[in-house]
Structures are given as C-alpha cells and as structure tokens.
Amino acid sequence: ITLIGLAGEDSAVTRAVLGEDTLFDVCGHLVGDVPRIRNLGDIALILWAAWAANYPERDWLWEKLLSLRPADNCYSTVEIAWTLSALCHDADAPVGDLRVRLARRLVSCFNPETGIFPHVIGKENGSPRGHVACFADLVYPILALTHYFKLTNDRQAAETARRCAEQVCARQCGAGQWWWHYDYRTG
C-alpha cells in the first residue's frame, strides 16, 4: 500500500520513505516473494504496486492471482476489493472477464437494507464473524467500485459505492470516533 501511495511522488519523497531503495527496487523484492504467497489480497496489492511502479512482465503475476480463483472461492471482502482495484488500474491485465465478475460479486453481496458489505464473500465456512463487517470491509469496496465505475461507467457499481459511503458517513458518532464493526445482516 505504501508503494501505491508513493507512485507519482518525486524521488526526494520516495527516498525519505524508502531510503536508498527506489520504488522499483522495493517492488522487485515484493514480486520476488509472489511464488511463495497464497493470500489473494497480498498478491492483488503487489500487482497494483507493480502497475504503479511500471514494473514489467506482470502477466505471470496475474496468472498466479487467477489460480486463486477470486471470482469463485470464499475470500474476505477486502481481498476481493483490492483485486478489483488492481484490475481497474492495470486495464491491460490478461484476465478475461474477471474484472466484471468481481464487480458483480461485490455489488451482489452488498446488503441494501443495512447499506454495508459482509466481512466474507462466499461460503462463510463456519467463520464466527463472517457476517460482521469492519471499517475496511466498507472503505475498500467503495474505492474498488469507484475505480470500476471510472473505467466502465457502470452505474450500478457507482450507486452501490455511493450508498455504502452514505452509510459510513451516517455511522460516525461522537468526536470523530467510528463504530468499527457492523452486523451485515442487521446493520
């Protein structure tokens, strides 16, 4: 996430954060770890950072991500959202219709009655808090669906992101404190 944030900054800012390493160097270290990584979210963030750092030869990274079947398997909402954001930035990613399928997956799991996303998308596998969303489960889908809207002009994605954002803003309480966990089913 730091590399994504540093992309586009001048070299003085990058050096202040990364020391002697360049954005490209740090990205290379992360890419080198991908063969050992099995976490969808980690791979999606590395792909997003690799795109941001203009790192070449990302196709094999996308193949690794595809092997995890993000449109079919059970994953956290955050991981699905990070994957969609990475896909929306790397518009030339060789992933077929995965971008559309992930956007549909996020939109379809959104609870219009409560205005929030669940913590887990897909079969909950007995997770005791699979239906309890946290702040990240709301913010990252909003971001991903906004990226998707910018790329495709999909109005349903934009509307879902807007409705969730309204719910997040409505739940702010007190002096800037947030209620961090929401029951997806009951709000």
Side-chain angles (χ1 to χ4, degrees):
I1 291 175
T2 301
L3 295 183
I4 295 165
L6 285 172
E9 294 292 339
D10 66 36
S11 58
V13 172
T14 303
R15 272 195 310 280
V17 175
L18 300 177
E20 295 301 314
D21 288 329
T22 66
L23 194 68
F24 195 85
D25 294 335
V26 175
C27 189
H29 294 302
L30 291 173
V31 167
D33 287 340
V34 168
R36 294 186 300 277
I37 298 173
R38 299 197 189 303
N39 180 282
L40 176 66
D42 291 344
I43 294 172
L45 287 174
I46 291 169
L47 273 159
W48 189 354
W51 171 85
N54 203 24
Y55 199 87
E57 302 175 20
R58 293 186 302 273
D59 287 359
W60 73 271
L61 299 168
W62 286 114
E63 288 175 20
K64 171 75 174 192
L65 184 132
L66 286 171
S67 74
L68 298 175
R69 300 181 53 219
D72 303 312
N73 290 337
C74 179
Y75 287 105
S76 74
T77 299
V78 170
E79 290 177 292
I80 297 293
W82 284 341
T83 303
L84 180 58
S85 287
L87 282 164
C88 289
H89 282 85
D90 196 345
D92 296 325
V95 294
D97 67 348
L98 182 60
R99 189 178 296 107
V100 173
R101 292 177 67 204
L102 291 180
R104 296 283 58 88
R105 194 166 192 200
L106 280 174
V107 167
S108 69
C109 79
F110 178 73
N111 184 329
E113 291 179 27
T114 61
I116 59 178
F117 293 91
H119 181 65
V120 175
I121 299 174
K123 195 176 191 177
E124 292 180 24
N125 294 332
S127 170
R129 69 169 287 240
H131 65 283
V132 179
C134 67
F135 188 67
D137 296 324
L138 309 178
V139 173
Y140 288 114
I142 292 168
L143 179 66
L145 290 172
T146 302
H147 290 313
Y148 185 72
F149 169 72
K150 285 180 164 181
L151 184 67
T152 66
N153 203 33
D154 182 308
R155 298 283 180 204
Q156 188 178 21
E159 178 63 14
T160 302
R162 184 194 62 76
R163 289 189 62 207
C164 187
E166 286 176 350
Q167 186 65 285
V168 169
C169 292
R171 289 188 176 259
Q172 184 177 17
C173 68
Q177 296 178 12
W178 293 88
W179 291 108
W180 288 93
H181 293 83
Y182 313 95
D183 188 311
Y184 165 74
R185 297 176 295 210
T186 64

PDB file of all heavy atoms in Angstrom, residues 75-78 109 111 114 116-122 124 126-138 171 179-187:
ATOM      1  N   TYR A  75     -13.528 -15.499  -0.062  1.00  0.00           N
ATOM      2  CA  TYR A  75     -12.461 -14.570   0.327  1.00  0.00           C
ATOM      3  C   TYR A  75     -13.047 -13.448   1.149  1.00  0.00           C
ATOM      4  O   TYR A  75     -14.253 -13.179   1.112  1.00  0.00           O
ATOM      5  CB  TYR A  75     -11.776 -13.967  -0.907  1.00  0.00           C
ATOM      6  CG  TYR A  75     -10.880 -14.935  -1.628  1.00  0.00           C
ATOM      7  CD1 TYR A  75     -11.274 -15.504  -2.818  1.00  0.00           C
ATOM      8  CD2 TYR A  75      -9.643 -15.287  -1.090  1.00  0.00           C
ATOM      9  CE1 TYR A  75     -10.452 -16.404  -3.478  1.00  0.00           C
ATOM     10  CE2 TYR A  75      -8.821 -16.191  -1.746  1.00  0.00           C
ATOM     11  CZ  TYR A  75      -9.237 -16.749  -2.934  1.00  0.00           C
ATOM     12  OH  TYR A  75      -8.424 -17.638  -3.571  1.00  0.00           O
ATOM     13  N   SER A  76     -12.176 -12.747   1.834  1.00  0.00           N
ATOM     14  CA  SER A  76     -12.631 -11.566   2.560  1.00  0.00           C
ATOM     15  C   SER A  76     -13.028 -10.494   1.541  1.00  0.00           C
ATOM     16  O   SER A  76     -12.506 -10.440   0.424  1.00  0.00           O
ATOM     17  CB  SER A  76     -11.537 -11.040   3.497  1.00  0.00           C
ATOM     18  OG  SER A  76     -10.521 -10.398   2.763  1.00  0.00           O
ATOM     19  N   THR A  77     -13.938  -9.652   1.945  1.00  0.00           N
ATOM     20  CA  THR A  77     -14.386  -8.556   1.096  1.00  0.00           C
ATOM     21  C   THR A  77     -13.218  -7.651   0.723  1.00  0.00           C
ATOM     22  O   THR A  77     -13.112  -7.200  -0.423  1.00  0.00           O
ATOM     23  CB  THR A  77     -15.485  -7.756   1.820  1.00  0.00           C
ATOM     24  OG1 THR A  77     -16.580  -8.649   2.066  1.00  0.00           O
ATOM     25  CG2 THR A  77     -15.953  -6.574   1.009  1.00  0.00           C
ATOM     26  N   VAL A  78     -12.332  -7.412   1.671  1.00  0.00           N
ATOM     27  CA  VAL A  78     -11.174  -6.551   1.411  1.00  0.00           C
ATOM     28  C   VAL A  78     -10.310  -7.133   0.299  1.00  0.00           C
ATOM     29  O   VAL A  78      -9.872  -6.413  -0.609  1.00  0.00           O
ATOM     30  CB  VAL A  78     -10.362  -6.329   2.704  1.00  0.00           C
ATOM     31  CG1 VAL A  78      -9.032  -5.656   2.420  1.00  0.00           C
ATOM     32  CG2 VAL A  78     -11.171  -5.524   3.708  1.00  0.00           C
ATOM     33  N   CYS A 109     -23.174  -8.816  -3.205  1.00  0.00           N
ATOM     34  CA  CYS A 109     -23.103  -9.144  -1.778  1.00  0.00           C
ATOM     35  C   CYS A 109     -23.457  -7.942  -0.897  1.00  0.00           C
ATOM     36  O   CYS A 109     -23.618  -8.086   0.315  1.00  0.00           O
ATOM     37  CB  CYS A 109     -21.738  -9.705  -1.406  1.00  0.00           C
ATOM     38  SG  CYS A 109     -20.458  -8.463  -1.221  1.00  0.00           S
ATOM     39  N   ASN A 111     -25.578  -5.442   1.064  1.00  0.00           N
ATOM     40  CA  ASN A 111     -26.903  -5.544   1.662  1.00  0.00           C
ATOM     41  C   ASN A 111     -27.582  -4.176   1.566  1.00  0.00           C
ATOM     42  O   ASN A 111     -27.218  -3.254   2.301  1.00  0.00           O
ATOM     43  CB  ASN A 111     -26.797  -5.989   3.117  1.00  0.00           C
ATOM     44  CG  ASN A 111     -28.144  -6.204   3.757  1.00  0.00           C
ATOM     45  OD1 ASN A 111     -29.129  -5.558   3.422  1.00  0.00           O
ATOM     46  ND2 ASN A 111     -28.199  -7.132   4.701  1.00  0.00           N
ATOM     47  N   THR A 114     -29.083  -2.745   5.006  1.00  0.00           N
ATOM     48  CA  THR A 114     -28.165  -2.211   6.012  1.00  0.00           C
ATOM     49  C   THR A 114     -27.179  -1.221   5.410  1.00  0.00           C
ATOM     50  O   THR A 114     -26.569  -0.434   6.129  1.00  0.00           O
ATOM     51  CB  THR A 114     -27.378  -3.343   6.702  1.00  0.00           C
ATOM     52  OG1 THR A 114     -26.605  -4.049   5.722  1.00  0.00           O
ATOM     53  CG2 THR A 114     -28.306  -4.293   7.431  1.00  0.00           C
ATOM     54  N   ILE A 116     -24.314  -2.018   3.879  1.00  0.00           N
ATOM     55  CA  ILE A 116     -22.926  -2.425   4.101  1.00  0.00           C
ATOM     56  C   ILE A 116     -22.619  -3.748   3.410  1.00  0.00           C
ATOM     57  O   ILE A 116     -23.499  -4.464   2.956  1.00  0.00           O
ATOM     58  CB  ILE A 116     -22.595  -2.508   5.614  1.00  0.00           C
ATOM     59  CG1 ILE A 116     -23.502  -3.486   6.333  1.00  0.00           C
ATOM     60  CG2 ILE A 116     -22.665  -1.135   6.256  1.00  0.00           C
ATOM     61  CD1 ILE A 116     -23.193  -3.639   7.810  1.00  0.00           C
ATOM     62  N   PHE A 117     -21.338  -4.046   3.357  1.00  0.00           N
ATOM     63  CA  PHE A 117     -20.828  -5.289   2.798  1.00  0.00           C
ATOM     64  C   PHE A 117     -20.518  -6.258   3.931  1.00  0.00           C
ATOM     65  O   PHE A 117     -20.185  -5.828   5.039  1.00  0.00           O
ATOM     66  CB  PHE A 117     -19.531  -5.031   2.009  1.00  0.00           C
ATOM     67  CG  PHE A 117     -19.716  -4.220   0.770  1.00  0.00           C
ATOM     68  CD1 PHE A 117     -19.606  -2.837   0.809  1.00  0.00           C
ATOM     69  CD2 PHE A 117     -20.004  -4.833  -0.434  1.00  0.00           C
ATOM     70  CE1 PHE A 117     -19.778  -2.078  -0.335  1.00  0.00           C
ATOM     71  CE2 PHE A 117     -20.173  -4.071  -1.591  1.00  0.00           C
ATOM     72  CZ  PHE A 117     -20.061  -2.698  -1.538  1.00  0.00           C
ATOM     73  N   PRO A 118     -20.539  -7.565   3.672  1.00  0.00           N
ATOM     74  CA  PRO A 118     -20.139  -8.528   4.696  1.00  0.00           C
ATOM     75  C   PRO A 118     -18.620  -8.561   4.834  1.00  0.00           C
ATOM     76  O   PRO A 118     -17.897  -8.007   4.004  1.00  0.00           O
ATOM     77  CB  PRO A 118     -20.659  -9.858   4.137  1.00  0.00           C
ATOM     78  CG  PRO A 118     -20.560  -9.677   2.658  1.00  0.00           C
ATOM     79  CD  PRO A 118     -20.912  -8.212   2.421  1.00  0.00           C
ATOM     80  N   HIS A 119     -18.135  -9.225   5.843  1.00  0.00           N
ATOM     81  CA  HIS A 119     -16.694  -9.391   6.035  1.00  0.00           C
ATOM     82  C   HIS A 119     -16.136 -10.427   5.064  1.00  0.00           C
ATOM     83  O   HIS A 119     -15.006 -10.315   4.605  1.00  0.00           O
ATOM     84  CB  HIS A 119     -16.411  -9.812   7.475  1.00  0.00           C
ATOM     85  CG  HIS A 119     -14.967  -9.987   7.786  1.00  0.00           C
ATOM     86  ND1 HIS A 119     -14.064  -8.941   7.766  1.00  0.00           N
ATOM     87  CD2 HIS A 119     -14.254 -11.094   8.108  1.00  0.00           C
ATOM     88  CE1 HIS A 119     -12.859  -9.397   8.072  1.00  0.00           C
ATOM     89  NE2 HIS A 119     -12.948 -10.696   8.284  1.00  0.00           N
ATOM     90  N   VAL A 120     -16.931 -11.434   4.751  1.00  0.00           N
ATOM     91  CA  VAL A 120     -16.515 -12.539   3.889  1.00  0.00           C
ATOM     92  C   VAL A 120     -17.513 -12.673   2.754  1.00  0.00           C
ATOM     93  O   VAL A 120     -18.721 -12.570   2.961  1.00  0.00           O
ATOM     94  CB  VAL A 120     -16.443 -13.866   4.694  1.00  0.00           C
ATOM     95  CG1 VAL A 120     -16.134 -15.047   3.791  1.00  0.00           C
ATOM     96  CG2 VAL A 120     -15.422 -13.760   5.813  1.00  0.00           C
ATOM     97  N   ILE A 121     -16.985 -12.919   1.550  1.00  0.00           N
ATOM     98  CA  ILE A 121     -17.837 -13.141   0.385  1.00  0.00           C
ATOM     99  C   ILE A 121     -17.703 -14.603  -0.009  1.00  0.00           C
ATOM    100  O   ILE A 121     -16.604 -15.103  -0.228  1.00  0.00           O
ATOM    101  CB  ILE A 121     -17.441 -12.239  -0.796  1.00  0.00           C
ATOM    102  CG1 ILE A 121     -17.578 -10.767  -0.405  1.00  0.00           C
ATOM    103  CG2 ILE A 121     -18.285 -12.557  -2.026  1.00  0.00           C
ATOM    104  CD1 ILE A 121     -17.076  -9.803  -1.460  1.00  0.00           C
ATOM    105  N   GLY A 122     -18.819 -15.263  -0.114  1.00  0.00           N
ATOM    106  CA  GLY A 122     -18.831 -16.686  -0.433  1.00  0.00           C
ATOM    107  C   GLY A 122     -19.221 -17.470   0.798  1.00  0.00           C
ATOM    108  O   GLY A 122     -19.650 -16.925   1.808  1.00  0.00           O
ATOM    109  N   GLU A 124     -19.247 -18.973   4.154  1.00  0.00           N
ATOM    110  CA  GLU A 124     -18.564 -18.475   5.350  1.00  0.00           C
ATOM    111  C   GLU A 124     -17.713 -19.532   6.047  1.00  0.00           C
ATOM    112  O   GLU A 124     -16.917 -19.217   6.920  1.00  0.00           O
ATOM    113  CB  GLU A 124     -19.577 -17.886   6.333  1.00  0.00           C
ATOM    114  CG  GLU A 124     -20.207 -16.623   5.819  1.00  0.00           C
ATOM    115  CD  GLU A 124     -21.210 -16.049   6.800  1.00  0.00           C
ATOM    116  OE1 GLU A 124     -21.122 -16.324   8.007  1.00  0.00           O
ATOM    117  OE2 GLU A 124     -22.090 -15.319   6.349  1.00  0.00           O
ATOM    118  N   GLY A 126     -18.231 -21.499   8.383  1.00  0.00           N
ATOM    119  CA  GLY A 126     -18.354 -21.516   9.836  1.00  0.00           C
ATOM    120  C   GLY A 126     -17.631 -20.388  10.541  1.00  0.00           C
ATOM    121  O   GLY A 126     -17.471 -20.426  11.753  1.00  0.00           O
ATOM    122  N   SER A 127     -17.165 -19.395   9.813  1.00  0.00           N
ATOM    123  CA  SER A 127     -16.476 -18.282  10.436  1.00  0.00           C
ATOM    124  C   SER A 127     -17.407 -17.591  11.415  1.00  0.00           C
ATOM    125  O   SER A 127     -18.506 -17.187  11.047  1.00  0.00           O
ATOM    126  CB  SER A 127     -16.009 -17.291   9.365  1.00  0.00           C
ATOM    127  OG  SER A 127     -15.547 -16.110   9.971  1.00  0.00           O
ATOM    128  N   PRO A 128     -16.989 -17.424  12.675  1.00  0.00           N
ATOM    129  CA  PRO A 128     -17.880 -16.821  13.663  1.00  0.00           C
ATOM    130  C   PRO A 128     -18.199 -15.357  13.388  1.00  0.00           C
ATOM    131  O   PRO A 128     -19.171 -14.839  13.893  1.00  0.00           O
ATOM    132  CB  PRO A 128     -17.121 -16.973  14.980  1.00  0.00           C
ATOM    133  CG  PRO A 128     -15.699 -17.187  14.604  1.00  0.00           C
ATOM    134  CD  PRO A 128     -15.714 -17.829  13.235  1.00  0.00           C
ATOM    135  N   ARG A 129     -17.397 -14.694  12.573  1.00  0.00           N
ATOM    136  CA  ARG A 129     -17.700 -13.291  12.292  1.00  0.00           C
ATOM    137  C   ARG A 129     -17.799 -12.999  10.798  1.00  0.00           C
ATOM    138  O   ARG A 129     -17.619 -11.886  10.360  1.00  0.00           O
ATOM    139  CB  ARG A 129     -16.686 -12.368  12.974  1.00  0.00           C
ATOM    140  CG  ARG A 129     -15.282 -12.416  12.420  1.00  0.00           C
ATOM    141  CD  ARG A 129     -14.475 -11.275  12.990  1.00  0.00           C
ATOM    142  NE  ARG A 129     -14.885 -10.032  12.392  1.00  0.00           N
ATOM    143  CZ  ARG A 129     -14.107  -9.218  11.701  1.00  0.00           C
ATOM    144  NH1 ARG A 129     -12.850  -9.503  11.535  1.00  0.00           N
ATOM    145  NH2 ARG A 129     -14.566  -8.114  11.183  1.00  0.00           N
ATOM    146  N   GLY A 130     -18.122 -14.002  10.019  1.00  0.00           N
ATOM    147  CA  GLY A 130     -18.236 -13.818   8.577  1.00  0.00           C
ATOM    148  C   GLY A 130     -19.263 -12.783   8.174  1.00  0.00           C
ATOM    149  O   GLY A 130     -19.167 -12.175   7.128  1.00  0.00           O
ATOM    150  N   HIS A 131     -20.276 -12.579   9.006  1.00  0.00           N
ATOM    151  CA  HIS A 131     -21.334 -11.614   8.690  1.00  0.00           C
ATOM    152  C   HIS A 131     -21.080 -10.244   9.326  1.00  0.00           C
ATOM    153  O   HIS A 131     -21.841  -9.317   9.114  1.00  0.00           O
ATOM    154  CB  HIS A 131     -22.691 -12.149   9.162  1.00  0.00           C
ATOM    155  CG  HIS A 131     -22.785 -12.295  10.638  1.00  0.00           C
ATOM    156  ND1 HIS A 131     -22.194 -13.348  11.296  1.00  0.00           N
ATOM    157  CD2 HIS A 131     -23.355 -11.530  11.586  1.00  0.00           C
ATOM    158  CE1 HIS A 131     -22.417 -13.222  12.593  1.00  0.00           C
ATOM    159  NE2 HIS A 131     -23.121 -12.128  12.794  1.00  0.00           N
ATOM    160  N   VAL A 132     -20.007 -10.130  10.109  1.00  0.00           N
ATOM    161  CA  VAL A 132     -19.720  -8.876  10.804  1.00  0.00           C
ATOM    162  C   VAL A 132     -18.660  -8.104  10.031  1.00  0.00           C
ATOM    163  O   VAL A 132     -17.530  -8.549   9.899  1.00  0.00           O
ATOM    164  CB  VAL A 132     -19.249  -9.124  12.256  1.00  0.00           C
ATOM    165  CG1 VAL A 132     -18.935  -7.813  12.940  1.00  0.00           C
ATOM    166  CG2 VAL A 132     -20.298  -9.912  13.022  1.00  0.00           C
ATOM    167  N   ALA A 133     -19.045  -6.969   9.517  1.00  0.00           N
ATOM    168  CA  ALA A 133     -18.143  -6.154   8.702  1.00  0.00           C
ATOM    169  C   ALA A 133     -17.393  -5.153   9.571  1.00  0.00           C
ATOM    170  O   ALA A 133     -17.902  -4.691  10.581  1.00  0.00           O
ATOM    171  CB  ALA A 133     -18.940  -5.408   7.643  1.00  0.00           C
ATOM    172  N   CYS A 134     -16.180  -4.834   9.160  1.00  0.00           N
ATOM    173  CA  CYS A 134     -15.404  -3.793   9.825  1.00  0.00           C
ATOM    174  C   CYS A 134     -15.252  -2.610   8.857  1.00  0.00           C
ATOM    175  O   CYS A 134     -15.690  -2.665   7.712  1.00  0.00           O
ATOM    176  CB  CYS A 134     -14.046  -4.321  10.266  1.00  0.00           C
ATOM    177  SG  CYS A 134     -12.940  -4.753   8.921  1.00  0.00           S
ATOM    178  N   PHE A 135     -14.626  -1.569   9.321  1.00  0.00           N
ATOM    179  CA  PHE A 135     -14.463  -0.350   8.529  1.00  0.00           C
ATOM    180  C   PHE A 135     -13.798  -0.640   7.177  1.00  0.00           C
ATOM    181  O   PHE A 135     -14.233  -0.132   6.140  1.00  0.00           O
ATOM    182  CB  PHE A 135     -13.664   0.676   9.336  1.00  0.00           C
ATOM    183  CG  PHE A 135     -13.592   2.028   8.712  1.00  0.00           C
ATOM    184  CD1 PHE A 135     -14.720   2.822   8.585  1.00  0.00           C
ATOM    185  CD2 PHE A 135     -12.382   2.528   8.261  1.00  0.00           C
ATOM    186  CE1 PHE A 135     -14.648   4.085   8.010  1.00  0.00           C
ATOM    187  CE2 PHE A 135     -12.300   3.783   7.690  1.00  0.00           C
ATOM    188  CZ  PHE A 135     -13.441   4.564   7.564  1.00  0.00           C
ATOM    189  N   ALA A 136     -12.761  -1.480   7.163  1.00  0.00           N
ATOM    190  CA  ALA A 136     -12.066  -1.813   5.910  1.00  0.00           C
ATOM    191  C   ALA A 136     -12.993  -2.518   4.928  1.00  0.00           C
ATOM    192  O   ALA A 136     -12.867  -2.347   3.712  1.00  0.00           O
ATOM    193  CB  ALA A 136     -10.844  -2.679   6.193  1.00  0.00           C
ATOM    194  N   ASP A 137     -13.948  -3.303   5.451  1.00  0.00           N
ATOM    195  CA  ASP A 137     -14.899  -4.001   4.590  1.00  0.00           C
ATOM    196  C   ASP A 137     -15.854  -3.046   3.891  1.00  0.00           C
ATOM    197  O   ASP A 137     -16.592  -3.447   2.995  1.00  0.00           O
ATOM    198  CB  ASP A 137     -15.723  -5.006   5.403  1.00  0.00           C
ATOM    199  CG  ASP A 137     -14.886  -6.113   5.996  1.00  0.00           C
ATOM    200  OD1 ASP A 137     -13.921  -6.552   5.348  1.00  0.00           O
ATOM    201  OD2 ASP A 137     -15.196  -6.537   7.130  1.00  0.00           O
ATOM    202  N   LEU A 138     -15.852  -1.809   4.304  1.00  0.00           N
ATOM    203  CA  LEU A 138     -16.707  -0.798   3.693  1.00  0.00           C
ATOM    204  C   LEU A 138     -15.893   0.128   2.791  1.00  0.00           C
ATOM    205  O   LEU A 138     -16.276   0.413   1.660  1.00  0.00           O
ATOM    206  CB  LEU A 138     -17.422   0.009   4.777  1.00  0.00           C
ATOM    207  CG  LEU A 138     -18.155  -0.826   5.835  1.00  0.00           C
ATOM    208  CD1 LEU A 138     -18.781   0.074   6.866  1.00  0.00           C
ATOM    209  CD2 LEU A 138     -19.166  -1.757   5.208  1.00  0.00           C
ATOM    210  N   ARG A 171     -22.802   6.704  10.134  1.00  0.00           N
ATOM    211  CA  ARG A 171     -22.452   5.969  11.350  1.00  0.00           C
ATOM    212  C   ARG A 171     -21.371   6.647  12.179  1.00  0.00           C
ATOM    213  O   ARG A 171     -20.981   6.133  13.215  1.00  0.00           O
ATOM    214  CB  ARG A 171     -22.030   4.552  11.014  1.00  0.00           C
ATOM    215  CG  ARG A 171     -23.206   3.741  10.562  1.00  0.00           C
ATOM    216  CD  ARG A 171     -22.820   2.297  10.427  1.00  0.00           C
ATOM    217  NE  ARG A 171     -23.986   1.541  10.075  1.00  0.00           N
ATOM    218  CZ  ARG A 171     -24.685   0.826  10.936  1.00  0.00           C
ATOM    219  NH1 ARG A 171     -24.332   0.762  12.181  1.00  0.00           N
ATOM    220  NH2 ARG A 171     -25.745   0.155  10.540  1.00  0.00           N
ATOM    221  N   TRP A 179     -17.949   3.671  14.838  1.00  0.00           N
ATOM    222  CA  TRP A 179     -18.339   2.307  15.202  1.00  0.00           C
ATOM    223  C   TRP A 179     -17.626   1.427  14.190  1.00  0.00           C
ATOM    224  O   TRP A 179     -17.860   1.540  12.996  1.00  0.00           O
ATOM    225  CB  TRP A 179     -19.851   2.116  15.102  1.00  0.00           C
ATOM    226  CG  TRP A 179     -20.592   2.873  16.146  1.00  0.00           C
ATOM    227  CD1 TRP A 179     -21.348   3.989  15.973  1.00  0.00           C
ATOM    228  CD2 TRP A 179     -20.634   2.580  17.529  1.00  0.00           C
ATOM    229  NE1 TRP A 179     -21.855   4.407  17.163  1.00  0.00           N
ATOM    230  CE2 TRP A 179     -21.433   3.554  18.139  1.00  0.00           C
ATOM    231  CE3 TRP A 179     -20.071   1.582  18.329  1.00  0.00           C
ATOM    232  CZ2 TRP A 179     -21.693   3.574  19.494  1.00  0.00           C
ATOM    233  CZ3 TRP A 179     -20.326   1.599  19.677  1.00  0.00           C
ATOM    234  CH2 TRP A 179     -21.130   2.579  20.246  1.00  0.00           C
ATOM    235  N   TRP A 180     -16.757   0.568  14.630  1.00  0.00           N
ATOM    236  CA  TRP A 180     -15.878  -0.168  13.722  1.00  0.00           C
ATOM    237  C   TRP A 180     -16.452  -1.471  13.195  1.00  0.00           C
ATOM    238  O   TRP A 180     -16.004  -1.980  12.206  1.00  0.00           O
ATOM    239  CB  TRP A 180     -14.548  -0.450  14.407  1.00  0.00           C
ATOM    240  CG  TRP A 180     -13.764   0.795  14.540  1.00  0.00           C
ATOM    241  CD1 TRP A 180     -13.739   1.644  15.608  1.00  0.00           C
ATOM    242  CD2 TRP A 180     -12.939   1.391  13.561  1.00  0.00           C
ATOM    243  NE1 TRP A 180     -12.937   2.715  15.357  1.00  0.00           N
ATOM    244  CE2 TRP A 180     -12.417   2.578  14.107  1.00  0.00           C
ATOM    245  CE3 TRP A 180     -12.577   1.045  12.273  1.00  0.00           C
ATOM    246  CZ2 TRP A 180     -11.563   3.409  13.411  1.00  0.00           C
ATOM    247  CZ3 TRP A 180     -11.713   1.877  11.595  1.00  0.00           C
ATOM    248  CH2 TRP A 180     -11.223   3.036  12.161  1.00  0.00           C
ATOM    249  N   HIS A 181     -17.413  -2.062  13.863  1.00  0.00           N
ATOM    250  CA  HIS A 181     -17.940  -3.337  13.413  1.00  0.00           C
ATOM    251  C   HIS A 181     -19.456  -3.250  13.224  1.00  0.00           C
ATOM    252  O   HIS A 181     -20.149  -2.685  14.058  1.00  0.00           O
ATOM    253  CB  HIS A 181     -17.594  -4.446  14.407  1.00  0.00           C
ATOM    254  CG  HIS A 181     -16.130  -4.716  14.441  1.00  0.00           C
ATOM    255  ND1 HIS A 181     -15.262  -3.961  15.201  1.00  0.00           N
ATOM    256  CD2 HIS A 181     -15.382  -5.625  13.779  1.00  0.00           C
ATOM    257  CE1 HIS A 181     -14.034  -4.427  15.005  1.00  0.00           C
ATOM    258  NE2 HIS A 181     -14.077  -5.417  14.166  1.00  0.00           N
ATOM    259  N   TYR A 182     -19.919  -3.817  12.134  1.00  0.00           N
ATOM    260  CA  TYR A 182     -21.336  -3.772  11.784  1.00  0.00           C
ATOM    261  C   TYR A 182     -21.805  -5.177  11.500  1.00  0.00           C
ATOM    262  O   TYR A 182     -21.108  -5.951  10.851  1.00  0.00           O
ATOM    263  CB  TYR A 182     -21.558  -2.938  10.511  1.00  0.00           C
ATOM    264  CG  TYR A 182     -20.841  -1.623  10.484  1.00  0.00           C
ATOM    265  CD1 TYR A 182     -19.603  -1.506   9.873  1.00  0.00           C
ATOM    266  CD2 TYR A 182     -21.402  -0.504  11.087  1.00  0.00           C
ATOM    267  CE1 TYR A 182     -18.952  -0.286   9.842  1.00  0.00           C
ATOM    268  CE2 TYR A 182     -20.749   0.709  11.064  1.00  0.00           C
ATOM    269  CZ  TYR A 182     -19.531   0.810  10.440  1.00  0.00           C
ATOM    270  OH  TYR A 182     -18.876   2.006  10.416  1.00  0.00           O
ATOM    271  N   ASP A 183     -23.007  -5.492  11.927  1.00  0.00           N
ATOM    272  CA  ASP A 183     -23.590  -6.771  11.553  1.00  0.00           C
ATOM    273  C   ASP A 183     -24.188  -6.590  10.166  1.00  0.00           C
ATOM    274  O   ASP A 183     -25.107  -5.792   9.975  1.00  0.00           O
ATOM    275  CB  ASP A 183     -24.660  -7.190  12.560  1.00  0.00           C
ATOM    276  CG  ASP A 183     -25.141  -8.615  12.305  1.00  0.00           C
ATOM    277  OD1 ASP A 183     -25.466  -8.922  11.136  1.00  0.00           O
ATOM    278  OD2 ASP A 183     -25.201  -9.402  13.256  1.00  0.00           O
ATOM    279  N   TYR A 184     -23.642  -7.296   9.212  1.00  0.00           N
ATOM    280  CA  TYR A 184     -24.055  -7.188   7.806  1.00  0.00           C
ATOM    281  C   TYR A 184     -25.545  -7.441   7.639  1.00  0.00           C
ATOM    282  O   TYR A 184     -26.194  -6.827   6.832  1.00  0.00           O
ATOM    283  CB  TYR A 184     -23.223  -8.185   6.994  1.00  0.00           C
ATOM    284  CG  TYR A 184     -23.735  -8.476   5.611  1.00  0.00           C
ATOM    285  CD1 TYR A 184     -23.602  -7.546   4.596  1.00  0.00           C
ATOM    286  CD2 TYR A 184     -24.361  -9.693   5.321  1.00  0.00           C
ATOM    287  CE1 TYR A 184     -24.046  -7.813   3.320  1.00  0.00           C
ATOM    288  CE2 TYR A 184     -24.814  -9.962   4.055  1.00  0.00           C
ATOM    289  CZ  TYR A 184     -24.662  -9.013   3.059  1.00  0.00           C
ATOM    290  OH  TYR A 184     -25.115  -9.277   1.786  1.00  0.00           O
ATOM    291  N   ARG A 185     -26.075  -8.369   8.432  1.00  0.00           N
ATOM    292  CA  ARG A 185     -27.475  -8.754   8.265  1.00  0.00           C
ATOM    293  C   ARG A 185     -28.434  -7.760   8.880  1.00  0.00           C
ATOM    294  O   ARG A 185     -29.516  -7.522   8.374  1.00  0.00           O
ATOM    295  CB  ARG A 185     -27.708 -10.143   8.853  1.00  0.00           C
ATOM    296  CG  ARG A 185     -26.895 -11.220   8.133  1.00  0.00           C
ATOM    297  CD  ARG A 185     -27.060 -12.543   8.780  1.00  0.00           C
ATOM    298  NE  ARG A 185     -26.487 -12.492  10.132  1.00  0.00           N
ATOM    299  CZ  ARG A 185     -25.962 -13.525  10.746  1.00  0.00           C
ATOM    300  NH1 ARG A 185     -25.934 -14.690  10.174  1.00  0.00           N
ATOM    301  NH2 ARG A 185     -25.445 -13.413  11.960  1.00  0.00           N
ATOM    302  N   THR A 186     -28.048  -7.166  10.013  1.00  0.00           N
ATOM    303  CA  THR A 186     -28.979  -6.286  10.731  1.00  0.00           C
ATOM    304  C   THR A 186     -28.547  -4.837  10.785  1.00  0.00           C
ATOM    305  O   THR A 186     -29.316  -3.982  11.195  1.00  0.00           O
ATOM    306  CB  THR A 186     -29.155  -6.777  12.182  1.00  0.00           C
ATOM    307  OG1 THR A 186     -27.898  -6.672  12.860  1.00  0.00           O
ATOM    308  CG2 THR A 186     -29.686  -8.183  12.220  1.00  0.00           C
ATOM    309  N   GLY A 187     -27.322  -4.554  10.403  1.00  0.00           N
ATOM    310  CA  GLY A 187     -26.817  -3.183  10.440  1.00  0.00           C
ATOM    311  C   GLY A 187     -26.420  -2.822  11.832  1.00  0.00           C
ATOM    312  O   GLY A 187     -26.076  -1.782  12.195  1.00  0.00           O
TER     313      GLY A 187
END
